[in-house]
Every structure is written in C-alpha cells, then in structure tokens.
Amino acid sequence: MKQTIKTSRVAGQLEKMFRALNNRFFDGELPEVVISLKKTAGAYGHFTTGKVWKTGEERRYEINISSASLNQECAFLAGVLVHEMVHEYCAEHGIKDTSNNGVYHNKNFKHIAETHGLEVEHHPKYGWTITSPGLELLDFVEEQGWQDFQMVESLNLLDVLGTLPKGGNSGAGAETRTKKPSSTRKYICPKCSNSCRATKVINIICGDCMEKMVVAE
C-alpha cells in the first residue's frame, strides 16, 4: 500500500483486503460490503446486522473500521476486518453470535472466529470478543505484502466521554472491542527457509537442518 492521507484510497485498500481475506478464509462466500471509516472510541470496528446500504435493488451490509485505529499495524487491522467478517458470516447463516445489542460475543462467535484465522480470548463483560490474528492470518498478510496505513484520526475528550455507559443503543450491529495483540517474531532457517513465529525472543533450531533459526527482517 502507498502511504496516503486520502480516506477514499484507504477505504479502497480495505475493500481489496476484504476480497482477499474473503477468498482465503471464507471460501469467497461473503457478499460484498460497504467499507466505512468513522471515528469510534473504545471499538476498533463495527458490523451492521442489517443491509443498510441500497443501490437500485442491491443491498449491502456495512463494516466500519474506526479511523482512530488506522495507525495500527496492518496485520492488526486485518484481524479487525476478519472479526467483522465473522459477524457477516453469522448474519448470512442465521447464527446468533452476540447479545446485549451486539456487545456480548458468545461461544458461536468464538468457534467461527477460531476456524477463520483468529485467536480468541474471553472478556468478563463482553464475552469472547478479544480477538487477534492467528499465525495463518499473520503469514497471509505477510505474503500479500500489505503495508501499514500510517494515518489516524485523533480522539478528543468528547470522543472518550462518548464511550461512557448510556441507556439504549440506536445502532443495530456488533462492535469489535479488542485489544492489540502481542507482537510476534518470525524465525527463519537460513539454510532451508523453514519458518515459525513466537511471541517472545527464543533460541530455536530447525529440526530438518539442525541450523539455528534467526529472526526474519
């Protein structure tokens, strides 16, 4: 991706990412969506459970990626996008994956997320909503050569205050309330190019070549 401050270009790149991720992790079965960029505090993304966009006879879901998170690593944003795509998968298959106005993520969501490239952890209030890219997804992002967007819309005090609990929820959909995943290191064998990932610095030897594996640049 080229560095840009044009939101139209960012949305276009996210649409390309959606198509590639759809083909790789969902067998290309998810319908096209409208990608929006709206600043949301406390949530990295949002999926509308209804097809809120209409052009002619065609209707589409919306996936929003918070413009306040665009400066995160591309692999992280890919994980947010897949999180929302899991919600779309559930909507398309009539699977109830959330409750409490899309805030609490249940075990249906957990199972489907884990079988579509994500790692999932439990949050005591929001359920199985803490997702991060699994190794397969991390490798796929690297293979695609996707780069970070390196742009962001800043949050202000009113944005933060807007995340305080209020009664009701005017928007139907599921919110992504994730944490930033632990950074991973890719180790590669200098002789045969076997590779693996680890979340910390380790000393590891390739079982095929008995060579010490090194951190990939």
Side-chain angles (χ1 to χ4, degrees), residues 5-67:
I5 57 172
K6 293 184 178 180
T7 55
S8 59
R9 183 182 293 275
V10 172
Q13 293 291 359
L14 288 169
E15 288 172 354
K16 292 179 181 179
M17 289 172 63
F18 174 93
R19 296 186 188 105
L21 293 167
N22 186 18
N23 289 332
R24 176 62 183 82
F25 293 95
F26 296 87
D27 295 325
E29 68 173 280
L30 297 183
E32 288 279 329
V33 298
V34 171
I35 301 285
S36 65
L37 298 171
K38 302 171 187 174
K39 183 169 56 173
T40 54
Y44 291 114
H46 184 89
F47 170 74
T48 59
T49 54
K51 294 185 177 181
V52 296
W53 287 87
K54 179 181 179 181
T55 174
E57 297 301 316
E58 183 183 5
R59 292 180 178 272
R60 290 189 179 185
Y61 300 107
E62 175 185 302
I63 288 179
N64 176 66
I65 302 298
S66 176
S67 54

Side-chain angles (χ1 to χ4, degrees), residues 1-3 17 73-74 141 144-150:
M1 299 176 189
K2 296 180 180 179
Q3 185 173 344
M17 289 172 63
E73 293 180 358
C74 189
V141 171
Q144 298 301 305
W146 294 335
Q147 299 175 8
D148 300 345
F149 289 114
Q150 298 181 343

Side-chain angles (χ1 to χ4, degrees), residues 11-215:
Q13 293 291 359
L14 288 169
E15 288 172 354
K16 292 179 181 179
M17 289 172 63
F18 174 93
R19 296 186 188 105
L21 293 167
N22 186 18
N23 289 332
R24 176 62 183 82
F25 293 95
F26 296 87
D27 295 325
E29 68 173 280
L30 297 183
E32 288 279 329
V33 298
V34 171
I35 301 285
S36 65
L37 298 171
K38 302 171 187 174
K39 183 169 56 173
T40 54
Y44 291 114
H46 184 89
F47 170 74
T48 59
T49 54
K51 294 185 177 181
V52 296
W53 287 87
K54 179 181 179 181
T55 174
E57 297 301 316
E58 183 183 5
R59 292 180 178 272
R60 290 189 179 185
Y61 300 107
E62 175 185 302
I63 288 179
N64 176 66
I65 302 298
S66 176
S67 54
S69 65
L70 290 177
N71 61 340
Q72 302 281 3
E73 293 180 358
C74 189
F76 172 73
L77 291 175
V80 174
L81 190 53
V82 173
H83 182 124
E84 306 308 333
M85 293 168 73
V86 170
H87 287 307
E88 183 183 7
Y89 178 93
C90 291
E92 283 290 291
H93 290 82
I95 299 171
K96 183 174 176 58
D97 61 342
T98 64
S99 58
N100 190 22
N101 290 323
V103 172
Y104 188 88
H105 291 51
N106 62 28
K107 288 186 177 180
N108 288 334
F109 176 85
K110 176 181 184 292
H111 171 71
I112 296 170
E114 289 178 335
T115 56
H116 290 83
L118 296 176
E119 295 182 355
V120 187
E121 297 177 49
H122 187 263
H123 187 284
K125 183 176 180 180
Y126 302 122
W128 298 100
T129 187
I130 305 174
T131 56
S132 58
L135 295 182
E136 187 178 2
L137 177 53
L138 288 170
D139 286 339
F140 181 75
V141 171
E142 185 175 303
E143 290 167 7
Q144 298 301 305
W146 294 335
Q147 299 175 8
D148 300 345
F149 289 114
Q150 298 181 343
M151 64 177 292
V152 67
E153 184 177 6
S154 300
L155 292 171
N156 56 41
L157 181 59
L158 289 177
D159 294 321
V160 176
L161 291 176
T163 67
L164 295 176
K166 347 179 192 182
N169 185 344
S170 60
E175 291 187 351
T176 304
R177 297 176 179 270
T178 65
K179 70 177 182 181
K180 189 173 182 179
S182 301
S183 60
T184 62
R185 298 169 178 83
K186 183 175 183 179
Y187 288 84
I188 187 167
C189 174
K191 187 172 183 179
C192 69
S193 297
N194 280 342
S195 63
C196 67
R197 291 185 181 271
T199 58
K200 60 182 180 180
V201 176
I202 59 174
N203 290 314
I204 185 171
I205 294 176
C206 174
D208 292 335
C209 305
M210 301 308 293
E211 292 280 341
K212 182 178 179 179
M213 300 180 77
V214 297
V215 177

